[in-house]
Amino acid sequence: MRVQVVIIGGGPSGLLLGQLLHQKGIDTLVLERKTRDYVLGRIRAGVLEVGFVNLMREAGVAKRMERESFIHGGTVISYEDMQFGINFEALTGNHVVVYGQTEVTRDLYDARAAVGAKTVFNTEHVEIHGADSDAPYVTYQVDGTEHRVDCDYVAGCDGFHGISRQSIPLTVRREYEKVYPFGWLGILSETPPVNDELIYAGSDRGFALCSMRNANLSRYYIQCSLSDHAEDWTDAAFWQELKRRIPAEAAERLVTGPSIEKSIAPLRSFVCEPMRWGRLFLCGDAAHIVPPTGAKGLNTAASDIHYLYHALVQVYETGETEGINRYSEKALARVWKTQRFSWWMTTLLHRFPHQSEFDLKVQKAEIAFLRDSRDAQTVLAQNYVGLPY
């Protein structure tokens, strides 16, 4: 088989790239190591920046999102006895959209199937060959049978544990990482959200986040020890701890119920440089990870897709290679800004081991400054709704 672009990874970033390229008549093959149902079963974030929403529109897959999503014009910050709102629309003229990543992925799979674009599931032993040559190709196995696909370019959208980043020699790539000394225990429950907007809560017991997927599906998180296991926490214990960390009025109106999903996610900041090696391009979690505090994981992947999509269209329509030559540079410039914001939000709201009394006083003062300064709130809002591409 031969296609123009092989996309490794059938998550939202790979699917979005495939759909955008299809709109321009560029032939792609998506290779996914799991089943479609497995990918759709993964519970992920649901806060989408303006740029992501616009890419979905450009890809022609935004109708259900526009019909069923929730527009959030702001968020709530609380810290001990302080509570205040950040009005994104008043500060930036923009908002974010709440629409579950699972639903984004479903829409993209349905669109890909509708146009007959090629997707292969249950792939094993995927290998990238000749990425630093003019004739790259990818081999993979399905049910023990090996296949080869020749291509012009390879997009590595296969996540942190995928093979794409590992295909770049250690002599070429450099990795930067910060591991945080805590995790997030999250649950999903079929209950109405406690608030119309997300609540980011810092307290002496640790961080908590009140989020949502739709009008009767809520997502809640609490900071926990890395030594904890999800099964250590009963639903009752989780709800009790959440109530202790969020504002009192929110705790009073919180509707609790049985969890339908419960898991612990460790937090890390990670960047791989460069994001391009020859004709291989890294996108999303294959190249960078952020702590989820700033809702930037999927959104930063979308900015990668924006740069790569336009670079590939430029090559195929004009023969100009400036876009692909500068892909890594452009993508990383924005990646490091989102890394800074996610690190800052995490540092601002979490309790860290060995924080001194001085550290805690400074943390509280920074929250108070954010509460009282429109300029500081504007900086947060600009980053939260999404920096320009």
Side-chain angles (χ1 to χ4, degrees):
M1 182 189 295
R2 177 173 178 84
V3 297
Q4 290 168 297
V5 181
V6 172
I7 299 171
I8 302 176
S13 58
L15 294 170
L16 180 58
L17 177 62
Q19 194 64 20
L20 286 163
L21 293 175
H22 173 80
Q23 297 283 93
K24 296 293 185 178
I26 298 170
D27 190 28
T28 65
L29 172 69
V30 171
L31 302 178
E32 169 53 46
R33 67 187 184 92
K34 298 291 188 178
T35 66
R36 182 182 190 272
D37 288 343
Y38 180 91
V39 176
L40 290 174
R42 292 189 294 220
I43 305 298
R44 294 291 188 270
V47 177
L48 308 180
E49 294 176 355
V50 174
F52 188 100
V53 171
N54 289 338
L55 282 173
M56 290 285 283
R57 289 173 178 148
E58 190 171 354
V61 289
K63 287 185 178 179
R64 190 166 75 97
M65 177 185 68
E66 291 176 336
R67 186 173 64 249
E68 299 180 8
S69 64
F70 295 84
I71 291 175
H72 280 201
T75 194
V76 174
I77 305 284
S78 76
Y79 186 91
E80 296 181 351
D81 58 343
M82 290 183 278
Q83 181 183 337
F84 54 95
I86 307 288
N87 190 323
F88 302 149
E89 291 180 333
L91 295 165
T92 70
N94 282 319
H95 54 258
V96 293
V97 165
V98 173
Y99 187 65
Q101 180 172 321
T102 298
E103 304 312 313
V104 169
T105 309
R106 189 186 311 278
D107 293 343
L108 288 164
Y109 269 135
D110 289 347
R112 191 165 181 82
V115 297
K118 298 179 286 293
T119 306
V120 181
F121 295 98
N122 292 314
T123 59
E124 297 180 308
H125 307 297
V126 177
E127 291 186 32
I128 301 167
H129 307 267
D132 58 341
S133 74
D134 292 335
Y137 64 97
V138 177
T139 57
Y140 62 94
Q141 291 183 13
V142 176
D143 296 329
T145 301
E146 183 160 305
H147 302 262
R148 169 176 169 154
V149 55
D150 295 276
C151 58
D152 300 325
Y153 302 99
V154 180
C157 305
D158 51 345
F160 182 77
H161 299 289
I163 60 96
S164 295
R165 185 178 71 257
Q166 306 302 326
S167 300
I168 301 177
L170 286 171
T171 54
V172 174
R173 61 183 158 99
R174 182 172 180 183
E175 298 179 351
Y176 304 83
E177 185 173 36
K178 178 180 178 62
V179 177
Y180 297 86
F182 42 72
W184 276 16
L185 170 65
I187 72 164
L188 196 66
S189 64
E190 292 177 325
T191 55
V194 70
N195 195 55
D196 291 339
E197 296 175 342
L198 273 64
I199 299 175
Y200 287 84
S203 77
D204 59 1
R205 301 185 66 87
F207 172 76
L209 173 63
C210 301
S211 184
M212 66 197 69
R213 292 295 174 269
N214 58 48
N216 197 49
L217 191 60
S218 298
R219 186 74 163 153
Y220 297 104
Y221 302 92
I222 58 173
Q223 178 185 346
C224 67
S225 169
L226 286 173
S227 63
D228 285 1
H229 299 88
E231 54 269 24
D232 298 337
W233 286 83
T234 64
D235 289 352
F238 177 90
W239 292 120
Q240 184 180 35
E241 186 60 32
L242 178 66
K243 288 180 179 181
R244 290 173 174 171
R245 301 187 187 191
I246 63 177
E249 61 269 31
E252 288 180 6
R253 65 175 181 268
L254 179 70
V255 178
T256 65
S259 62
I260 58 175
E261 194 271 344
K262 186 187 297 176
S263 58
I264 292 178
L267 272 63
R268 65 156 57 94
S269 298
F270 174 87
V271 179
C272 172
E273 295 185 352
M275 291 173 56
R276 175 202 177 193
W277 182 54
R279 293 186 173 227
L280 167 64
F281 303 87
L282 303 182
C283 301
D285 287 0
H288 43 76
I289 300 283
V290 290
T293 322
K296 289 288 159 262
L298 177 58
N299 290 302
T300 307
S303 67
D304 298 342
I305 297 306
H306 166 86
Y307 294 123
L308 183 54
Y309 157 59
H310 284 285
L312 291 172
V313 169
Q314 183 185 53
V315 166
Y316 284 115
E317 292 188 349
T318 71
E320 174 58 55
T321 59
E322 188 267 348
I324 60 172
N325 291 338
R326 294 192 61 206
Y327 166 73
S328 182
E329 173 193 346
K330 287 182 176 181
L332 283 168
R334 192 178 187 278
V335 162
W336 277 111
K337 291 174 184 175
T338 59
Q339 288 284 343
R340 183 213 66 82
F341 177 67
S342 300
W343 162 85
W344 176 76
M345 284 281 283
T346 303
T347 305
L348 182 70
L349 292 164
H350 289 75
R351 287 297 168 104
F352 286 74
H354 314 303
Q355 272 182 310
S356 68
E357 290 297 319
F358 178 88
D359 295 332
L360 294 171
K361 286 285 190 181
V362 170
Q363 189 179 50
K364 188 170 184 178
E366 187 160 9
I367 294 280
F369 180 74
L370 180 63
R371 177 195 61 192
D372 300 335
S373 170
R374 181 182 176 88
D375 289 340
Q377 291 185 16
T378 300
V379 171
L380 187 154
Q382 287 173 335
N383 281 271
Y384 201 95
V385 301
L387 298 172
Y389 294 159

